[in-house]
Structures are given as structure tokens and as C-alpha cells.
Amino acid sequence: MKLATLDTGGDGTLLIVSRDLTRAARAEAAPTLQAALANWEAAEPALRRQADAIEAGTSETMAVDSLALAAVLPRSYQFLDASAFLAHNHILARAWGFEPRGEAEPPLMYQGLSDRFYAPHAPVPFRGFDGDEVDFEAEYGVITDAVPMGISPRDALGHARLLIIINDWSLRAFGPSEMRGGFGFLHAKPPSTLSSIAVTPDELGDDWHAGRVHLPLQVHLNGTFFGSPTGAAMHFGFGDLIAHAAMTRSLCAGTLIGSGTVSNYDADIVGSACIAERRALDVVAKREPTPYLRANDHVAIAALDNRGEPIFGIIAQKVVTIGPA
């Protein structure tokens, strides 16, 4: 089942979308995705019946206008972003000389901004590009229903109700000082972008197992290939991440959990999902560092099925400068 949100303001209007992303109908079981997640056990069977009718051609539908879609979850009660790919940490550690994280250490996770998420076609505003070191981070993510405190990783995975892709924008200039301060990110992490489409895990078939999306995440910068690292390389699966987040508290329905930058140890071959990692590879290779984003640069992110079609739609955005209010 594939879901989207029509941009009607606020939390938008929940749509059920055909598998080929061409047709959709307003969901009858819930007005918004947040409402569906809050009552998922009751809503999901009704949503699936309507989705089956759309595929069978027995339901009235409308054409999908991708520009009319919001982020599939326009805002959420909670966004927790992890760093689940040890390759990313180890590549940066090798370049910058810090101690790499060990395999037995718990996952890193921070609480991100969640009062809004950018639509995947919307221009992304920044105050400027001269010193803030604007970067993208291509990630996989899950959206949960309500998760009880103290749940095991095995049981936690059953609460990953929907899969998405994310561009977790970063201002690298602020990261080091904010981490040293001990209170976590603030200026380093502006709003993120979510895909227009969320899919139930069964839509991926064998490409979803062990709490991981076993597909490359394709990244292009200004129309040029930047990377296609696979999500299969997560050191921590999403069951581990959900359980870690719920260790000392329950999670509300609609909690969004990100994988962190998708990264593979053979990044010199498959490419990277963020500029910071590419710059680390540049340091090791003793070559000119890849520049951070500049005004009007264009970033595109997609995960493709075996026919080459985007599963979650395409995140395709331009970064722009916005002056002070």
C-alpha cells in the first residue's frame, strides 16, 4: 500500500496512491496520515481494501499531481534521527583523526525539528551559502504507530508501519561547536524533507528484511551522479533504532525515525549520500575538497524498483537564499 498527503494546509488530506503512482483517491478511513497512524489497527484494513479497489480499477480515482503533494507527513510529534551506518562514522574518523565508534556501542540518535517537513518539490531556503556549509543527507526512514516503553528490537520492528526517504539538510559549520556544547543540534539541523510517498513494508517484498531497505539510494547533484549506497549496510536495523528510542519512554503514533546518512565502506566506488563524506574521502585521497552547496544547486534523491521506477516518488529540490525578515 502506498500513501501520500495532498497539500490542503496543516496536516493535509490523506491519499491512497496506486502502485505506479499515477492514480489516487482520498482515504475513506482517516482524514490525515497522523489520524490513521493513531488508530492504525482499525484504519489499516480499511485503507488496504480501498487500495485494492484502486488497483482493480473499481474505485473512482484522480490523476496524481506530484506538485500538489506535501511531505507525506507534513509535521510530526517527534523526529528522531540516528547514525545507523558505521561506515559513515569510520570514513569521517579516518579523514579527521578521531576515534571511530565500535560495533558494540549503542546507536547515536538526536531529536530533530518536526514542526514542519519540506515537500519533496519545494525550494529549500537558507540564509546564505558563504559560511554555513550547507549539505544534504540522503536517508531511509520509518514512521511508527504507538510504541511501548522497553520494547525489544524484534517486537519494535513490527511498529515500523511505513517506509519513506528523507533529505536531512545540515549546516555543517554549526555541528562541531553544538556537539561540544553537550545539548545537541540546533542551528546545524534545519527542517528536513520527506518523500511524497510512504509505503507499507510489504510493498518492498524481499528488499525489506532484517529491518533494512536492501536497495541503493540514488543521489544526484545538479544532474550529475553523486552516489548510490545501499540501505542493506545499516549496522543497526530499524528494529534496533525503534527499541533504542523507546528504552526509557513510549513513542507516540507518528514518530519518525531516520537511518542517518546511507553509507557503504566502498564509498569510493558506489559514491556517497552527503557532501561531508565525499570531503572526507577527498582528504584521504589528497584531492581538492568537494564544495558544499551553493545557491540554486539542485539535489535529487530516489530509490528505484526493479523496473527503474521511483518507489517513494522523487525528492528533487533547489536550494535558495532567503534574506532576513
Side-chain angles (χ1 to χ4, degrees):
M1 180 168 60
K2 296 190 175 186
L3 304 176
T5 294
L6 186 65
D7 188 1
T8 54
D11 292 320
T13 300
L14 181 60
L15 300 178
I16 302 173
V17 183
S18 62
R19 287 193 173 95
D20 64 5
L21 306 185
T22 63
R23 296 169 293 123
R26 293 178 185 243
E28 298 169 357
T32 66
L33 181 54
Q34 180 60 49
L37 290 161
N39 192 29
W40 190 253
E41 293 297 332
E44 182 188 21
L47 293 171
R48 285 191 180 275
R49 286 193 294 271
Q50 193 176 358
D52 290 342
I54 291 171
E55 293 302 321
T58 58
S59 173
E60 185 175 342
T61 61
M62 57 185 174
V64 172
D65 176 4
S66 61
L67 298 182
L69 300 180
V72 68
L73 196 62
R75 54 188 177 179
S76 73
Y77 292 119
Q78 185 163 232
F79 173 34
L80 304 172
D81 201 17
S83 183
F85 292 85
L86 281 188
H88 180 64
N89 172 269
H90 291 178
I91 289 169
L92 268 61
R94 182 184 174 196
W96 308 121
F98 60 80
E99 186 70 24
R101 290 185 65 79
E103 292 188 2
E105 295 184 70
L108 293 172
M109 186 174 285
Y110 73 93
Q111 187 150 358
L113 189 154
S114 63
D115 67 323
R116 84 210 78 151
F117 294 108
Y118 293 129
H121 54 79
V124 182
F126 295 97
R127 67 174 188 171
F129 295 87
D130 289 337
D132 287 351
E133 299 178 354
V134 180
D135 198 357
F136 55 85
E137 293 189 51
E139 308 184 6
Y140 285 108
V142 298
I143 305 174
T144 75
D145 60 1
V147 182
M149 179 173 60
I151 195 168
S152 70
R154 179 178 177 178
D155 291 340
L157 191 56
H159 292 275
R161 297 303 190 178
L162 296 168
L163 310 177
I164 61 171
I165 58 175
I166 304 169
N167 190 344
D168 175 41
W169 300 99
S170 294
L171 303 181
R172 300 294 188 185
F174 294 99
S177 62
E178 290 185 338
M179 286 188 285
R180 285 195 302 271
F183 265 31
F185 296 127
L186 178 64
H187 300 303
K189 292 294 184 179
S192 295
T193 298
L194 305 189
S195 55
S196 59
I197 306 295
V199 308
T200 49
D202 59 283
E203 284 290 325
L204 296 189
D206 292 340
D207 291 325
W208 169 254
H209 60 94
R212 295 160 174 84
V213 179
H214 288 244
L215 289 170
L217 198 52
Q218 309 280 347
V219 182
H220 287 77
L221 175 59
N222 295 325
T224 299
F225 173 81
F226 197 88
S228 60
T230 176
M234 285 176 77
H235 179 69
F236 302 100
F238 279 110
D240 300 307
L241 299 183
I242 296 169
H244 178 73
M247 183 187 301
T248 58
R249 54 178 171 168
S250 59
L251 306 180
C252 63
T255 294
L256 169 62
I257 295 183
S259 68
T261 305
V262 178
S263 178
N264 299 167
Y265 282 105
D266 58 348
D268 268 327
I269 298 171
V270 301
S272 296
C274 71
I275 295 173
E277 183 175 292
R278 174 70 66 81
R279 288 171 65 91
L281 294 169
D282 293 337
V283 167
V284 172
K286 296 182 169 60
R287 61 189 178 222
E288 188 71 20
T290 302
Y292 286 110
L293 294 177
R294 302 183 176 101
N296 300 314
D297 278 350
H298 187 275
V299 180
I301 303 168
L304 307 180
D305 63 19
N306 56 16
R307 298 168 300 164
E309 298 297 326
I311 298 167
F312 307 92
I314 300 173
I315 293 177
Q317 296 176 290
K318 181 170 71 173
V319 296
V320 298
T321 304
I322 185 169

